[in-house]
Amino acid sequence: MAGVVVVGASLGGLRAADALARSGYSGGITLVGDEPHQPYNRPPLSKEALLEAQDFDAIRLRSSAKPGTVSLVTGVRAASVDLGRGLLFLSDGRELAFEGLVAATGLRPRALGIPKPSAGVVVLRTYEDLVRLRSELATVKDVAIIGAGFIGCELAASLTQLGYRVSVIAPENVPMLRPLGEELGAALMRHHLRAGVAFGLERLPVAIEGCERPERVVCNDGSSFEAQLVIEAVGSAANTEWLEGNGLDLSDGILCDERLSFGGDGRFLAVGDVARFPNLAFDAVPRRVEHWGIAVDTGRYAGKALGRLLSSGEVSPAFTPMPAFWSDQFELRIQSFGIPGLVTDASEIRVLEGDLDGEVVVGYHRDGTLVGVVLVGFAQSHMKYRAAVAESLEAAAGASS
Ligand SMILES: Cc1cc2nc3c(=O)[nH]c(=O)nc-3n(C[C@H](O)[C@H](O)[C@H](O)COP(=O)(O)OP(=O)(O)OC[C@H]3O[C@@H](n4cnc5c(N)ncnc54)[C@H](O)[C@@H]3O)c2cc1C
């Protein structure tokens, strides 16, 4: 019997399978993942799992589906798919027939194409990466992190707290430039500097020198940073190769419509980091959103929508979530709602409460509409500012209709 196959057994895939099971769909649900484990949570990998040496059980994700309703297949890759025939081909030679498909295959880290030794250069995406990182850390003192995005900054904070000497190297002039903007990024950098993190910004690494292991990272301006361990945190590539040959736009993740479906067929949906979809609450531009909360929300939406469609033919309304992320760096809790990255004009980015070198709330406006907020601290105010973004978007939609 052709049921639903969910490819990618992590946060988005698990939440989709759970929601489909809860919708009462009875055609059979198979969740296929290429990692050897049960699904687990990635955010702790750069934070508490590293700081507190947590084991796998502490980060395991639990299913909310009734036992027996979702069959989990781990350690097996989806090799290819024929959407027209409804057949998924697995790396162990098995074929799975399906009437509905959820693509939840996420991202993998990019590596820099620069000269580097064969050992002592790592990335962080999986539990295995964390285990490798921990064992590498046992013998080093100086760590260079290439990349000043979320993961680079979180690792810089965690490793500094663990007593390592950390340098962050990146081409931007402040860390987390895209999601925070220049002023708040600069304030975050001052916080890291006070805690002892060194920054080599506005430069590109050109080589990681060392015989068998790294000794230093050399940059294009002639500067160099001593390091016996280098972590590459330079962005990611979407895991979409298994979907090739089906006429899809896979140029940056899986291009979806506003109902997360792809290939022009409501029975095929993408969720989580790999889905590129328009959020009509903001605009019609399809974007990938690499946030934990979006993996949860897209998963829940897709499972429910697919259940409705396959059980009763009912088409769900468009998916218009409020994107949200958090990041923990030193004692700072950074929270964001909306899409602050839509705003690049500095005059549209304003402090709403507090001050940049302490607890602060920053608002990001586009044509007078509050499209995003970032809170550093102010934990008790996050619902208020989330609601403010939602109200502003609604008012703008009302005015333009
Ligand atoms: C270190 C780290 C820290 C983070 N911290 C935060 C944070 O503080 N706040 C926040 O909002 N977000 C954070 N995130 C982002 C968040 O974890 C992701 O948005 C979320 O994991 C996305 O879930 P996903 O299910 O879409 O993809 P993933 O979690 O990447 O899962 C995709 C799964 O599919 C599998 N797969 C890939 N190809 C195939 C195939 N062909 N066949 C079968 N399986 C396949 C992969 O191995 C993987 O198991 C962090 C991410 C990382 C890596």
Side-chain angles (χ1 to χ4, degrees):
M1 188 180 64
V4 169
V5 182
V6 180
V7 183
S10 183
L11 183 63
L14 181 68
R15 293 301 167 240
D18 283 353
L20 183 59
R22 280 200 309 274
S23 79
Y25 176 71
S26 57
I29 306 166
T30 309
L31 178 58
V32 180
D34 62 357
E35 294 190 72
H37 320 276
Q38 301 272 317
Y40 60 94
N41 233 348
R42 292 181 205 280
L45 299 179
S46 50
K47 305 185 267 293
E48 54 270 35
L50 184 57
L51 284 166
E52 296 160 24
Q54 291 176 341
D55 64 10
F56 185 80
D57 209 48
I59 62 171
R60 229 185 87 195
L61 287 166
R62 309 281 193 253
S63 169
S64 62
K66 234 195 303 166
T69 50
V70 176
S71 314
L72 176 64
V73 179
T74 55
V76 180
R77 190 168 47 84
S80 63
V81 66
D82 184 333
L83 292 178
R85 289 198 296 153
L87 278 180
L88 181 73
F89 303 93
L90 300 181
S91 54
D92 63 1
R94 271 183 290 169
E95 290 179 14
L96 295 178
F98 59 83
E99 62 168 343
L101 179 73
V102 179
T105 44
L107 311 174
R108 59 178 178 275
R110 285 186 197 279
L112 287 173
I114 58 174
K116 57 183 100 160
S118 54
V121 183
V122 300
V123 293
L124 183 63
R125 179 84 194 173
T126 65
Y127 182 69
E128 276 67 34
D129 293 337
L130 175 67
V131 171
R132 196 172 311 127
L133 174 60
R134 279 179 184 151
S135 94
E136 293 277 354
L137 285 167
T139 57
V140 308
K141 200 65 212 140
D142 302 278
V143 182
I145 297 170
I146 306 181
F150 276 105
I151 294 177
C153 288
E154 289 183 353
L155 280 170
S158 299
L159 294 178
T160 302
Q161 284 171 285
L162 288 172
Y164 296 92
R165 285 193 294 260
V166 177
S167 313
V168 176
I169 303 162
E172 300 86 9
N173 61 343
V174 297
M176 292 184 64
L177 175 64
R178 199 157 51 105
L180 301 186
E182 203 161 323
E183 276 201 79
L184 189 52
L188 181 70
M189 181 159 104
R190 290 194 289 278
H191 198 89
H192 276 251
L193 285 167
R194 282 194 294 273
V197 178
F199 283 88
L201 299 179
E202 297 184 87
R203 70 199 80 189
L204 289 169
V206 290
I208 302 170
E209 290 183 348
C211 269
E212 281 165 16
R213 296 190 55 87
E215 288 169 20
R216 71 193 70 77
V217 179
V218 179
C219 298
N220 60 348
D221 62 350
S223 60
S224 68
F225 295 83
E226 195 181 329
Q228 303 85 46
L229 174 65
V230 178
I231 307 176
E232 292 180 300
V234 292
S236 315
N239 295 318
T240 53
E241 290 77 2
W242 62 284
L243 283 157
E244 282 169 5
N246 288 282
L248 303 172
D249 180 341
L250 304 174
S251 53
D252 175 23
I254 305 166
L255 179 64
C256 302
D257 66 15
E258 67 278 12
R259 292 181 176 78
L260 301 183
S261 69
F262 61 85
D265 191 321
R267 296 171 307 135
F268 310 145
L269 290 95
V271 303
D273 287 0
V274 80
R276 181 159 60 102
F277 62 95
N279 183 342
L280 300 182
F282 292 83
D283 55 29
V285 179
R287 295 185 186 85
R288 285 193 312 95
V289 187
E290 299 176 26
H291 301 338
W292 186 93
I294 283 290
V296 171
D297 293 347
T298 52
R300 287 186 180 145
Y301 171 91
K304 198 169 160 192
L306 200 50
R308 270 191 196 150
L309 186 75
L310 295 177
S311 306
S312 62
E314 197 187 330
V315 174
S316 294
F319 176 64
T320 54
M322 173 66 70
F325 72 73
W326 83 96
S327 177
D328 293 322
Q329 299 173 30
F330 299 105
E331 73 286 3
L332 301 180
R333 160 64 53 119
I334 303 168
Q335 281 180 284
S336 162
F337 299 99
I339 316 184
L342 285 179
V343 182
T344 49
D345 179 349
S347 67
E348 299 277 47
I349 302 175
R350 294 193 284 278
V351 171
L352 303 180
E353 202 174 338
D355 78 276
L356 282 165
D357 281 299
E359 294 207 342
V360 71
V361 183
V362 178
Y364 300 74
H365 303 80
R366 189 174 65 170
D367 302 328
T369 303
L370 183 66
V371 294
V373 287
V374 175
L375 292 80
V376 180
F378 280 105
Q380 71 289 356
S381 303
H382 75 271
M383 291 312 287
K384 175 177 110 181
Y385 284 106
R386 185 188 191 283
V389 176
E391 279 161 24
S392 188
L393 289 167
E394 266 166 40
S400 68
S401 65

